[in-house]
Amino acid sequence: MLPALLRLPLPLLFALAPQAPAEAPLPSPPRLVLQPARIRPGDPVLVTVRGLQEAPIGTLGERPLRFYPAGDGFQALTGLPVEQALGPLAVKVVGPPAPSGAPVELKAEVNVVEPGWRVRTLQVAHKFVQPPPEVQARMEADQAAFTAAFAQPFTPPLFTGPFAWPRKARVTAPYGDLRTYNGQKQGQHFGTDLDGRTGAPVYAAHAGVVVMTRDNYAAGNTVLVHHGAGLTTSYFHLSATAVKNGQRVKRGQLLGKVGNTGRVTGPHLHWGAKVEGLWVDAETLLGLDFTGAEAPAPGAAR
């Protein structure tokens, strides 16, 4: 007779055979992703790091990066000043020690390219070029209110996904315009102007908390929305506001209406974005993929 083991059904016989232990998948090596792909002075820059278990530290040029958890990695949102020199700029990220005991170090070099800003001459009311002494106190109060509104504690993002236009309209003045007012006072435009008739709706570019609703001398009726991650968006020259300080808003929620309050040449929306204390190009912000799905940065360690 056959041994009892050989009389077992074939599937059960295979089930009793010893199985080789499954090999654990190898962890992905740390990698660095930078956006946008083409970086100019005044652009916001999103740095994504994957493959680390703890938040790293890092720098973009001389600017420190503040990382927060994001999906299966960490992100930091920063910006370049308009004065940023053209040419190569170093990115360095240092993570916690690897199993070997050495800190993980990721490096990349990005090329800052010519921004191509326009030069324009504008005519505005004389009081906005040479403000009379009686409005000095109001301007100082405005500045103090802006400083307080921008001084929010750093938090992870209050939003998910991409940013949206606050209104669908023609861009009448892009970020970075070099301007001369009334032939004498010079300045630079740190926002994106969107055309619109008085009373047209203005919507939140993304979720966040309202940190200012105020009538300011130069900016007119203003709404500021803090989004976390060191980012605030601004909405100037409104004819009316539809939100209150401290209110949570969603992407696409009504904030107010287009107007011509403050220093303007006609009704429009001035939309701005401020990151880590710098006014940056809000149009570039629209193109950032906060999933970090773009290709790794050129020159990044892997």
Side-chain angles (χ1 to χ4, degrees):
M1 294 182 63
L2 289 173
L5 182 60
L6 295 182
R7 293 200 301 271
L8 291 174
L10 192 58
L12 182 56
L13 185 61
F14 282 134
L16 293 175
Q19 301 292 321
E23 294 186 3
L26 294 176
S28 299
R31 60 192 187 280
L32 182 64
V33 178
L34 299 180
Q35 299 178 64
R38 180 176 180 271
I39 299 177
R40 307 165 300 170
D43 271 343
V45 180
L46 181 63
V47 181
T48 302
V49 179
R50 290 200 173 95
L52 298 180
Q53 300 302 312
E54 299 178 23
I57 59 174
T59 53
L60 173 66
E62 297 182 355
R63 294 186 63 79
L65 300 172
R66 292 201 282 184
F67 284 92
Y68 53 83
D72 61 350
F74 300 90
Q75 288 182 333
L77 183 62
T78 188
L80 295 184
V82 293
E83 303 87 2
Q84 178 66 48
L86 305 184
L89 184 66
V91 184
K92 181 178 180 180
V93 175
V94 179
S100 63
V104 175
E105 186 172 290
L106 304 174
K107 292 183 178 180
E109 189 175 83
V110 298
N111 187 44
V112 182
V113 300
E114 172 63 47
W117 292 320
R118 303 187 309 179
V119 178
R120 303 184 67 197
T121 299
L122 300 175
Q123 294 293 319
V124 298
H126 180 73
K127 66 180 181 178
F128 292 115
V129 178
Q130 296 290 338
E134 57 267 23
V135 303
Q136 187 63 37
R138 180 183 176 189
M139 294 176 66
E140 291 175 358
D142 291 345
Q143 185 57 53
F146 273 108
T147 299
F150 287 128
Q152 302 298 315
F154 185 84
T155 68
L158 304 175
F159 61 90
T160 58
F163 277 71
W165 289 101
R167 56 177 281 98
K168 294 181 179 179
R170 179 174 60 95
V171 174
T172 57
Y175 174 94
D177 271 3
L178 299 168
R179 294 177 165 185
T180 300
Y181 295 99
N182 297 3
Q184 50 180 313
K185 185 175 182 179
Q186 295 184 338
Q188 192 161 13
H189 188 230
F190 293 130
T192 301
D193 286 350
L194 299 173
D195 195 19
R197 57 177 176 78
T198 298
V202 173
Y203 304 103
H206 221 318
V209 177
V210 176
V211 292
M212 175 185 281
T213 56
R214 178 184 173 86
D215 180 12
N216 296 289
Y217 181 72
N221 289 325
T222 299
V223 172
L224 299 181
V225 178
H226 176 62
H227 302 282
L231 170 65
T232 302
T233 53
S234 65
Y235 310 79
F236 290 176
H237 310 309
L238 303 175
S239 60
T241 58
V243 290
K244 298 179 180 179
N245 285 342
Q247 181 176 340
R248 292 290 294 260
V249 295
K250 300 178 181 179
R251 182 179 185 267
Q253 183 170 336
L254 181 69
L255 297 180
K257 298 179 179 180
V258 171
N260 61 348
T261 57
R263 184 172 71 180
V264 293
T265 57
H268 70 281
L269 171 67
H270 172 106
W271 178 45
K274 198 167 193 178
V275 176
E276 297 285 17
L278 290 178
W279 288 110
V280 297
D281 190 344
E283 286 194 71
T284 302
L285 179 68
L286 292 170
L288 297 183
D289 177 4
F290 285 89
T291 67
E294 292 190 4
R302 302 186 63 177

